[in-house]
Amino acid sequence: MNECTALPKKELLIQIQIPFCTGHCHYCERKNLGNSRTLFRQYLKALKAEITDTAPEISDYDVTSIHICGDNTITMMGTDILDEFLLFLKRTIPTADHTQWVIDMLPYEMSAASLTVLRNAHISILHLNTGTCQMKEFNLLKRPYYYAAFDGALSLISMYQQHNISIGLFAGLPGQTEDSLVRSLQYALKAQPVQLSLQACSPDAEAKFSSSVDCLMAQSGLQRYGTGWNYALPGQERIEYTQDSDNMDCIGFGAGAATRLDGNSYHNTENLSLYLAYSTDPQMIACDLKSSDMK
């Protein structure tokens, strides 16, 4: 089969779980492995081994998105290890110029040093998991940083002319009103994000607040897309949130990471000891394997 008749490669999403946080925030469903430096170094070694061992199986795919998930990752790594880890990923995982790279970060992790590393690595999207921009709601969420950290992030975003910011907020928090959510959104929009997503924390949150949120986002040029509560500038949508992503294969690396591949779906164990010992053995770390006939 020549190049003219070659079939297009199947698209693949990749998520890399690094769940080491300074604390466990309310409404966070992620497994938190704490903030032990010793455990983190062991985890990173096992994570690299899993990625390296799986990389040959990825070569037949078109990797469209790589998402490094986990607040506090940049703090745990420091800029030197972060730089080395990003280089490792780019050397190991077969990617293309159009691959969308996303990294989660907290406002206090934004610094001149971290922005330089992320810019040199050509990270597409810096996702700030802010949660809220209202002081009382910060206290409710027990966020592991101060409200002023977002002010500092805003200054750096402006100084370094970052045009790749994504903001994550909660909607439907106890006591949250339409007015307080709108104020939080208005403050977040000062970062001039290319993407903004909301997580509903109550069953009626989306029905209750969607109209106001849609209106405010439209005024800022952000359009709703995909199956979730997500907004983006046209052409800046997060690939993993688009409608088509439901039909894409996805590989998850790390403890608790989920994989959907060739009709099979499973997630890695959340047992840290088991993951550290067998990260290169999918049969040992896989949980809840489910198969379906491919149509």
Side-chain angles (χ1 to χ4, degrees):
M1 186 177 289
N2 59 39
E3 291 185 7
C4 295
T5 58
L7 295 174
K9 292 183 176 182
K10 289 181 66 177
E11 294 184 327
L12 180 70
L13 309 175
I14 291 177
Q15 290 193 343
I16 301 171
Q17 298 285 348
I18 309 180
F20 284 79
C21 301
T22 55
H24 195 276
C25 303
H26 285 216
Y27 302 100
C28 179
E29 298 176 352
R30 292 175 180 163
K31 175 73 173 180
N32 181 8
L33 299 178
N35 59 350
S36 166
R37 297 283 180 178
T38 300
L39 282 179
F40 180 79
R41 287 192 293 269
Q42 295 173 359
Y43 182 84
L44 200 58
K45 181 179 179 180
L47 180 63
K48 287 181 176 180
E50 183 189 11
I51 294 171
T52 299
D53 192 67
T54 308
E57 302 174 26
I58 300 174
S59 59
D60 291 334
Y61 285 88
D62 177 17
V63 178
T64 57
S65 172
I66 297 177
H67 182 183
I68 302 171
C69 311
D71 298 341
N72 211 47
T73 294
I74 296 175
T75 298
M76 293 297 292
M77 287 189 178
T79 53
D80 288 343
I81 296 177
L82 174 65
D83 188 34
E84 189 277 329
F85 183 68
L86 294 174
L87 287 173
F88 159 79
L89 293 178
K90 289 179 179 288
R91 288 194 308 264
T92 309
I93 299 175
T95 58
D97 290 340
H98 65 266
T99 303
Q100 187 179 75
W101 290 76
V102 182
I103 187 168
D104 292 347
M105 60 192 305
L106 293 172
Y108 67 71
E109 296 185 296
M110 188 169 285
S111 65
S114 64
L115 287 177
T116 298
V117 169
L118 296 171
R119 179 172 290 185
N120 290 341
H122 304 290
I123 301 302
S124 313
I125 300 294
L126 310 183
H127 181 67
L128 291 179
N129 279 320
T130 306
T132 179
C133 294
Q134 296 295 304
M135 179 63 78
K136 287 196 296 186
E137 292 170 358
F138 262 95
N139 296 334
L140 172 68
L141 290 170
K142 298 183 180 179
R143 283 306 210 192
Y145 57 88
Y146 293 106
Y147 176 79
F150 191 72
D151 277 331
L154 281 177
S155 298
L156 285 166
I157 289 168
S158 175
M159 184 184 304
Y160 283 83
Q161 299 183 2
Q162 292 296 138
H163 303 298
N164 60 344
I165 301 299
S166 171
I167 304 286
L169 297 175
F170 290 115
L173 293 167
Q176 188 177 55
T177 65
E178 183 177 42
D179 183 60
S180 66
L181 176 58
V182 167
R183 289 200 307 271
S184 197
L185 287 165
Q186 289 173 333
Y187 197 74
L189 288 170
K190 291 183 178 181
Q192 297 184 324
V194 296
Q195 301 169 357
L196 192 146
S197 59
L198 291 98
Q199 178 181 339
C201 296
S202 62
D204 63 342
E206 194 165 348
K208 185 177 179 181
F209 298 125
S210 274
S211 179
S212 298
V213 175
D214 286 347
C215 181
L216 183 58
M217 294 300 102
Q219 293 172 7
S220 302
L222 298 167
Q223 299 177 359
R224 190 164 181 170
Y225 71 99
T227 56
W229 201 352
N230 307 299
Y231 303 84
L233 295 177
Q236 298 286 345
E237 295 83 2
R238 183 92 65 86
I239 292 172
E240 60 189 316
Y241 291 164
T242 60
Q243 195 84 32
D244 293 339
S245 67
D246 292 339
N247 300 316
M248 294 182 195
D249 284 344
C250 175
I251 291 181
F253 294 112
T259 290
R260 182 180 66 245
L261 194 64
D262 294 331
N264 298 321
S265 62
Y266 63 91
H267 65 84
N268 286 350
T269 179
E270 293 185 344
N271 183 312
L272 182 57
S273 298
L274 188 62
Y275 178 77
L276 294 179
Y278 298 103
S279 67
T280 59
D281 189 341
Q283 292 184 332
M284 287 295 296
I285 64 174
C287 302
D288 296 336
L289 179 64
K290 297 177 182 178
S291 302
S292 61
D293 294 328
M294 299 296 288
K295 297 182 179 180

